[in-house]
Amino acid sequence: IDDDQEFTVETDTVDMVKNLKFEGSEINQKFLDYQLYMMSMNDKATKYREEIKKLQDAEGDHTAEIEEYKNKMKELNPEVQAYWDNIIKNYSETLLGKLIKMMKDIDIPEPPKDENGNITDSLFQYKYYKAHYFDNIDFTDSAVLRTPIFHQKLENYFTRVIIQNPDTINKEADIVIALADTNEEFFQYTLQYIFNHFTQSNIMGMDKVFVHLSENYYLNGRAHWADTAFLRKIGERVVKIKPNLIGQKAVDLKMVKTDGSWTSLYNVKAKYTILYFWDPDCGHCKKVTPKLHELYEKFFDKGVEVFAVFTQVDKEKWEKYINENAYTDWINVYD
């Protein structure tokens, strides 16, 4: 529904699309023409593939005929692209033109080469593709959100195009959200998608993305649609997990050793510190602790230390267990 607010639609259920007719809406007729054209091109491609399959299964040498059909298939793509370009040129300000433009791939130039023809930047095409990925999207027109294309491109970008590293995602999220900030609906949709996707991610470390988006968009008032209860919940979670993000220095633990003296996590002077929370009655711990101790003995000389925290209250049982199993060489502590 574009500028033409009043028009009629007629069809026959024998074939809904092929019998479709519009009166009073040029843009809908053009969209129908586009659909019929794409159906005809798909029919041609299917026919060529079927002919190739028949020739491949037939006896004798049919190489020349197969190549002829393959060439015909190759010719379809530039024909379709030319058709798309014509729509984009003549209907650039309509939803149809914007829809087709969104579906077009970015034209990526050849990578730079030196005087000997050697590529000087092996990542040039990837970086160009990433930098221009959203060039064909009109972020000022919220009608674009009513198509499936934008969501597909957004999802593809954040799951396949960029590296799944929280620092990279935070940087790219800010760039894409800034592009979407020209339109209120675009801004809300884009921010909510990125926030929800990475809040539910199963990839380790993505809680850093949650903290970044929470602090820079939700908790500072930019997400005006979020209610007080939701913002309070986000704020509480940020307070809990921010000090424990991967890459942060862990909060110091001041605890008691078996001899009654105090020590702390920050007192450990080692190249690598393994912080291990456990107790002797834990089924998983009974399997893991011996393996961890083997690694400790193997790599202690290379700068590895274990800060083993007993999580329960039966001090005698704990001390008996670590003495019987010779786990006294690493740092044993409890609260």
Side-chain angles (χ1 to χ4, degrees):
I1 301 177
D2 205 28
D3 292 335
D4 300 317
Q5 295 291 302
E6 295 181 15
F7 54 89
T8 61
V9 186
E10 180 184 334
T11 189
D12 188 321
T13 53
V14 173
D15 192 322
M16 293 285 288
V17 178
K18 287 186 178 179
N19 292 305
L20 197 60
K21 296 177 183 178
F22 288 92
E23 287 188 16
S25 178
E26 180 190 4
I27 200 64
N28 273 294
Q29 187 59 48
K30 288 297 178 184
F31 181 49
L32 174 61
D33 293 342
Y34 158 76
Q35 289 178 301
L36 294 173
Y37 172 79
M38 292 304 297
M39 287 171 63
S40 69
M41 298 303 280
N42 286 331
D43 289 343
K44 284 184 180 181
T46 300
K47 179 183 176 182
Y48 294 153
R49 280 193 290 267
E50 289 174 350
E51 292 298 329
I52 291 171
K53 182 70 168 57
K54 287 179 185 177
L55 292 168
Q56 289 173 335
D57 294 340
E59 294 182 1
D61 184 8
H62 301 281
T63 305
E65 295 166 90
I66 290 172
E67 282 302 310
E68 184 179 348
Y69 278 115
K70 286 184 176 179
N71 289 332
K72 286 182 177 180
M73 286 190 66
K74 289 179 182 177
E75 291 170 1
L76 294 179
N77 188 56
E79 186 178 334
V80 169
Q81 292 300 317
Y83 183 87
W84 284 16
D85 289 340
N86 186 58
I87 293 176
I88 294 170
K89 179 182 178 182
N90 295 315
Y91 298 92
S92 60
E93 297 304 313
T94 69
L95 181 58
L96 174 60
K98 294 173 183 179
L99 178 72
I100 302 301
K101 188 175 182 180
M102 280 195 295
M103 293 192 294
K104 277 184 65 70
D105 290 329
I106 298 297
D107 292 324
I108 305 174
E110 290 295 315
K113 298 177 181 179
D114 60 20
E115 61 274 9
N116 297 317
N118 299 313
I119 295 174
T120 57
D121 184 358
S122 61
L123 293 176
F124 171 81
Q125 290 185 309
Y126 165 71
K127 290 187 290 187
Y128 185 95
Y129 176 69
K130 184 166 69 71
H132 295 272
Y133 183 85
F134 292 102
D135 281 5
N136 290 339
I137 295 177
D138 183 357
F139 283 97
T140 65
D141 187 354
S142 58
V144 169
L145 289 174
R146 275 75 184 176
T147 75
I149 309 301
F150 178 69
H151 178 85
Q152 292 168 2
K153 291 187 74 72
L154 192 63
E155 184 176 50
N156 183 65
Y157 188 76
F158 280 100
T159 59
R160 296 182 179 90
V161 175
I162 62 174
I163 297 169
Q164 296 301 290
N165 172 282
D167 290 329
T168 298
I169 291 165
N170 286 342
K171 176 187 173 184
E172 297 296 337
D174 288 341
I175 293 171
V176 177
I177 292 170
L179 289 173
D181 202 13
T182 55
N183 179 285
E184 185 176 320
E185 288 183 275
F186 251 115
F187 173 73
Q188 180 174 345
Y189 188 92
T190 303
L191 174 56
Q192 284 183 317
Y193 167 78
I194 301 171
F195 181 83
N196 292 335
H197 177 77
F198 289 105
T199 300
Q200 299 166 14
S201 174
N202 292 323
I203 300 175
M204 183 72 73
M206 291 306 171
D207 44 0
K208 189 171 187 178
V209 180
F210 164 77
V211 171
H212 175 80
L213 296 176
S214 296
E215 291 186 330
N216 289 279
Y217 299 99
Y218 282 88
L219 300 179
N220 64 0
R222 293 194 64 189
H224 59 83
W225 59 87
D227 60 35
T228 305
F230 181 69
L231 294 175
R232 185 187 305 114
K233 186 177 180 181
I234 289 177
E236 290 171 354
R237 189 176 174 204
V238 167
V239 169
K240 289 180 180 178
I241 68 175
K242 187 176 180 180
N244 298 307
L245 296 176
I246 293 174
Q248 297 278 66
K249 187 173 182 178
V251 175
D252 195 14
L253 296 177
K254 297 179 180 179
M255 311 195 85
V256 182
K257 298 202 291 186
T258 52
D259 62 5
S261 64
W262 287 82
T263 189
S264 76
L265 182 62
Y266 282 11
N267 284 340
V268 179
K269 306 301 180 185
K271 191 172 182 180
Y272 303 100
T273 301
I274 299 172
L275 179 58
Y276 185 46
F277 295 93
W278 73 294
D279 83 84
D281 292 328
C282 161
H284 294 297
C285 301
K286 289 177 181 178
K287 296 178 182 178
V288 171
T289 308
K291 295 178 182 179
L292 177 60
H293 194 259
E294 287 179 15
L295 289 173
Y296 171 73
E297 291 180 318
K298 182 177 180 180
F299 294 109
F300 174 76
D301 291 339
K302 296 187 183 296
V304 173
E305 184 57 88
V306 173
F307 193 83
V309 180
F310 173 53
T311 61
Q312 301 303 312
V313 294
D314 193 336
K315 181 173 179 288
E316 291 183 4
K317 180 189 286 188
W318 167 59
E319 289 182 326
K320 181 181 179 183
Y321 188 87
I322 59 177
N323 284 314
E324 288 178 350
N325 291 278
Y327 297 149
T328 57
D329 44 355
W330 60 29
I331 302 171
N332 287 292
V333 294
Y334 76 109
D335 185 348

